[in-house]
Amino acid sequence: MDLSEEKRRLLFSALATLAGLLLFLKLLSRRPSKRIRSPPTVKAWPPLIGGLVRFVRGPVPMIREEYRRLGSVFTVGLVNRRVTFLIGPEVSANFFKAPEAEMSQQEVYQFNVPTFGPGVVFDVDYSVRQEQFRFFTEALRVNKLRSYVDQMVVEAEDYFSKWGESGEVDLKYELEHLIILTASRCLLGREVRDKLFDDVSALFHDLDNGMLPISVIFPYLPIPAHRRRDKARKKLSQIFSDIISSRKLSGRTEDDMLQSFIESKYKDGRPTTEGEITGLLIAALFAGQHTSSITSTWTGAYLLRDQQYLSDAVEEQKLLMKKHGDKIDHDILAEMDTLYRCIKEALRLHPPLIMLLRSSHNDFTVKNREGVEYDIPKGDIIATSPAFANRLPHIYKEPDRYDPDRFAPGREEDKAAGQFSYISFGGGRHGCLGEPFAYLQIKAIWSHLLRNFEFELISPFPETDWNAMVVGVKGNVMVRFKRRKLLID
C-alpha cells in the first residue's frame, strides 16, 4: 500500500469522525430545553367563551384540573383576555413583589368600583390609592386597635347574654350578626350601631349579593343583583353623608374608623370628602366583615368536630385566666397562640377570597419547581388562588386535614417552602391591612365562647359555598349549647 492510499484512508477516517461529531452536535441541539417561550394554554370549547363558562361555573375546580394537567403555570382565555395562573410560592414572587408599575391591581379590580363607589381605592390612580391606604393604616394602629378590642368584648358579652342557659342555634347566623354589630360599632360608628343598624345591615347585604363571579367580567351587566347593589350604594351614601355632616356641625368626635377618615388629610392638605369617606368605609366593612364572619364560623365548626384542638384552646384559656383573671383586652388576646393557630388553619383551608388578580405591564419570566422557565407577556391578567395554593401537598402535610399544630414552633409548614406559601391574606406589596383587626375580632368572640359555654355540633360538618366571589359556609351550622363558667384548676 503506497503512501497516497494511506493518506486517503486517514482523510476518509477523519471526515467520517467529523461527520459523526457534527451529527452528534445536531442531535444534542435538538434535546428539549428547560426554557419554554410561553405557558401552556388551556383549550376550551367553544372558542372565545369556553374559558369564561368554566370560570363562572367555578374558578377553583378549573384551577385544580389544569394544575394537575399542566402544572403551576398555565393560561386561560376569557373572551378577549388572557389570564395566566401562577400557583405556588416558586412562581408567584413576581405577582406579590413587583411594583405597581409592573403588576397593577387597578385594571383588574375595576369590578369593585360600583360597590365601593367613585373616587376611592380602584377608581383612583396609584399615588392617591396609596394615600387612602395610609388612612386605613392610621385607623388600624395599635392604639386604635386597643380601643376597638374593648368595643368587641362589650359587643360579644352583650350579644351572648341574650342566649338562654341551653338551646340550639345556627352558629353561622349568630356569628354573622354579631360581627356586623361589632364592625358597625368599631368601623361605621355609634350612630349606625345604635340607630341605623337594621337599615345599614340590609343595604350591605344587597351590596354583598351584588358581587358575583360574573361581576368580575361584566360589573355593569343589567341583572337584578347589580340593580339592587347600585340602589343600596346610593342609599348608604346618603346615610353616611348625613352622619358626617352632623359630626362636623356638632364638633362631636368618636373613637371609630369613621372619625379617623373624617380627620384624614392628603399630603397636599386636602381633607377627605363625604363621598371618599363613604367609599372607604364600605371597602373596610366589605373586607373585614366577610373575613371575620366566615372564618369565625369555620373555626368553630372545626373545633367542635376535632375535640383535641378544642381541648387545647380551652386549656389555653384556663392558663390565661389564672394569669389575668376574667379580663380580656388587646394584650391578652395577643397571648392566645393556640387560638391563633386554630383560626389561621381555618383560614388556610377556607380563605374567603379564592382568587387574587393583577394586570401585567411588563414581560417577565418565571421558573417552576422543575426548573422550566416560562415567558409571561405584557398585557396578561395574572392570577393566583389562595384557596388552591394553600393546599399544595409539597408544602403542607396532609393538606386537606385541619391541623393547627402545623404552624407550631418546630413545624411551621407555612415557612418551609419560603415566602408566599400561605396567602390567605395575600402578601407582598398588597398584603391585607385588616389582618390584625380580623384576628383580634375572632379571638375576642371565641375566647368569650370558650370561657362561658359548652358546645356540640349537631348538624353535618358544613360544605363550602362556591356561589359567590367571597366564598363562605354553605347551609346552617347547628350547634347545641349549654352555659357554663370555665373553672380554673
Side-chain angles (χ1 to χ4, degrees):
M1 181 173 62
D2 59 23
L3 185 60
S4 61
E5 184 177 352
E6 180 66 20
K7 287 181 178 180
R8 283 197 300 271
R9 288 185 177 180
L10 289 173
L11 179 61
F12 178 79
S13 176
L15 289 173
T17 301
L18 179 61
L21 179 61
L22 290 173
L23 179 61
F24 173 76
L25 292 173
K26 187 173 182 179
L27 291 173
L28 185 65
S29 68
R30 290 181 178 178
R31 290 176 62 192
S33 169
K34 289 225 169 186
R35 184 173 183 82
I36 297 179
R37 282 293 169 188
S38 60
T41 300
V42 174
K43 304 298 182 183
W45 182 261
L48 296 181
I49 66 168
L52 175 62
V53 171
R54 292 182 68 194
F55 177 85
V56 172
R57 284 179 177 173
V60 172
M62 179 190 72
I63 294 168
R64 183 182 299 115
E65 180 180 343
E66 301 307 335
Y67 180 89
R68 183 168 52 247
R69 194 168 65 90
L70 301 175
S72 58
V73 184
F74 56 87
T75 300
V76 179
L78 295 184
V79 191
N80 64 335
R81 295 300 302 272
R82 287 166 41 96
V83 180
T84 294
F85 285 86
L86 307 178
I87 306 298
E90 299 85 5
V91 295
S92 60
N94 275 81
F95 182 93
F96 289 111
K97 296 171 72 172
E100 182 76 8
E102 298 177 11
M103 197 74 69
S104 171
Q105 289 182 309
Q106 185 164 359
E107 298 90 341
V108 292
Y109 287 123
Q110 283 294 301
F111 65 87
N112 284 298
V113 173
T115 301
F116 299 162
V120 295
V121 193
F122 302 114
D123 192 49
V124 295
D125 63 39
Y126 182 60
S127 61
V128 177
R129 186 159 71 253
Q130 284 297 95
E131 291 206 61
Q132 292 178 350
F133 284 168
R134 174 171 58 82
F135 301 159
F136 281 108
T137 301
E138 291 171 352
L140 294 169
R141 292 188 185 279
V142 171
N143 64 318
K144 295 285 188 181
L145 290 175
R146 291 183 189 279
S147 65
Y148 295 160
V149 167
D150 294 339
Q151 297 173 50
M152 294 170 186
V153 171
V154 169
E155 288 289 345
E157 290 174 348
D158 180 65
Y159 190 87
F160 295 119
S161 71
K162 297 179 175 63
W163 283 12
E165 290 300 309
S166 62
E168 296 178 3
V169 295
D170 177 3
L171 191 64
K172 172 186 168 184
Y173 173 90
E174 300 293 332
L175 295 179
E176 283 177 351
H177 278 251
L178 170 57
I179 283 171
I180 192 69
L181 285 167
T182 305
S184 294
R185 173 64 62 86
C186 298
L187 308 182
L188 307 184
R190 187 177 298 276
E191 299 92 336
V192 170
R193 172 63 183 87
D194 293 345
K195 299 177 182 178
L196 299 168
F197 173 75
D198 289 339
D199 292 340
V200 171
S201 180
L203 292 172
F204 267 101
H205 181 72
D206 286 342
L207 276 183
D208 185 10
N209 289 341
M211 186 74 75
L212 305 169
I214 192 66
S215 307
V216 177
I217 312 297
F218 303 112
Y220 298 98
L221 195 67
I223 58 178
H226 287 171
R227 286 193 288 269
R228 288 191 295 271
R229 173 201 67 193
D230 296 342
K231 186 177 179 180
R233 179 63 178 72
K234 187 175 180 180
K235 288 184 178 179
L236 281 170
S237 182
Q238 185 58 55
I239 288 173
F240 283 111
S241 177
D242 292 343
I243 293 172
I244 294 164
S245 296
S246 175
R247 283 198 187 183
K248 287 181 176 179
L249 286 172
S250 67
R252 187 182 74 257
T253 62
E254 297 284 350
D255 196 6
D256 51 41
M257 184 173 281
L258 169 57
Q259 190 68 41
S260 292
F261 289 159
I262 291 174
E263 297 171 358
S264 295
K265 291 185 178 181
Y266 291 90
K267 289 180 180 178
D268 62 4
R270 179 177 75 81
T272 50
T273 67
E274 291 178 357
E276 289 171 336
I277 294 168
T278 299
L280 294 173
L281 284 172
I282 290 173
L285 186 62
F286 200 83
Q289 187 267 339
H290 277 105
T291 299
S292 295
S293 63
I294 292 168
T295 304
S296 60
T297 302
W298 281 120
T299 300
Y302 278 110
L303 287 177
L304 300 185
R305 189 192 70 177
D306 300 341
Q307 291 292 310
Q308 168 196 345
Y309 301 116
L310 177 63
S311 297
D312 292 344
V314 169
E315 285 303 311
E316 179 179 63
Q317 294 300 317
K318 288 182 179 180
L319 291 173
L320 291 171
M321 290 172 70
K322 282 183 180 180
K323 183 177 179 181
H324 301 289
D326 290 336
K327 183 180 178 182
I328 295 177
D329 62 19
H330 175 276
D331 293 342
I332 295 171
L333 291 179
E335 294 184 47
M336 298 181 185
D337 293 331
T338 300
L339 184 55
Y340 169 79
R341 292 194 293 270
C342 292
I343 298 167
K344 183 173 182 177
E345 177 69 341
L347 260 171
R348 181 187 70 84
L349 292 168
H350 303 281
L353 291 179
I354 60 173
M355 281 215 320
L356 304 174
L357 304 170
R358 302 284 188 270
S359 179
S360 174
H361 293 269
N362 289 72
D363 299 339
F364 66 97
T365 301
V366 297
K367 182 187 292 187
N368 67 11
R369 293 172 63 213
E370 293 73 32
V372 179
E373 292 186 338
Y374 298 97
D375 288 341
I376 314 299
K378 170 183 176 181
D380 274 17
I381 294 174
I382 311 301
T384 192
S385 172
F388 188 78
N390 279 354
R391 298 191 185 214
L392 291 172
H394 71 276
I395 297 175
Y396 296 103
K397 182 180 178 181
E398 297 182 81
D400 296 328
R401 187 168 75 89
Y402 181 75
D403 180 8
D405 290 340
R406 69 175 77 248
F407 302 118
R411 285 183 63 181
E412 297 179 318
E413 293 180 9
D414 57 318
K415 298 179 181 178
Q419 197 176 17
F420 312 125
S421 298
Y422 180 93
I423 55 173
S424 293
F425 283 100
R429 292 177 177 270
H430 300 294
C432 178
L433 298 174
E435 180 178 353
F437 182 92
Y439 273 114
L440 289 170
Q441 190 171 25
I442 301 168
K443 282 182 176 181
I445 291 169
W446 272 104
S447 59
H448 180 86
L449 291 174
L450 292 171
R451 293 181 182 197
N452 292 280
F453 295 93
E454 292 178 347
F455 291 100
E456 178 188 359
L457 182 64
I458 58 176
S459 63
F461 190 81
E463 298 178 0
T464 302
D465 183 359
W466 298 107
N467 292 328
M469 278 303 293
V470 182
V471 173
V473 182
K474 186 176 183 178
N476 300 330
V477 183
M478 298 303 299
V479 300
R480 182 177 293 121
F481 71 87
K482 181 179 180 181
R483 192 179 294 274
R484 65 101 175 89
K485 189 69 174 176
L486 188 62
L487 298 177
I488 304 174
D489 298 334

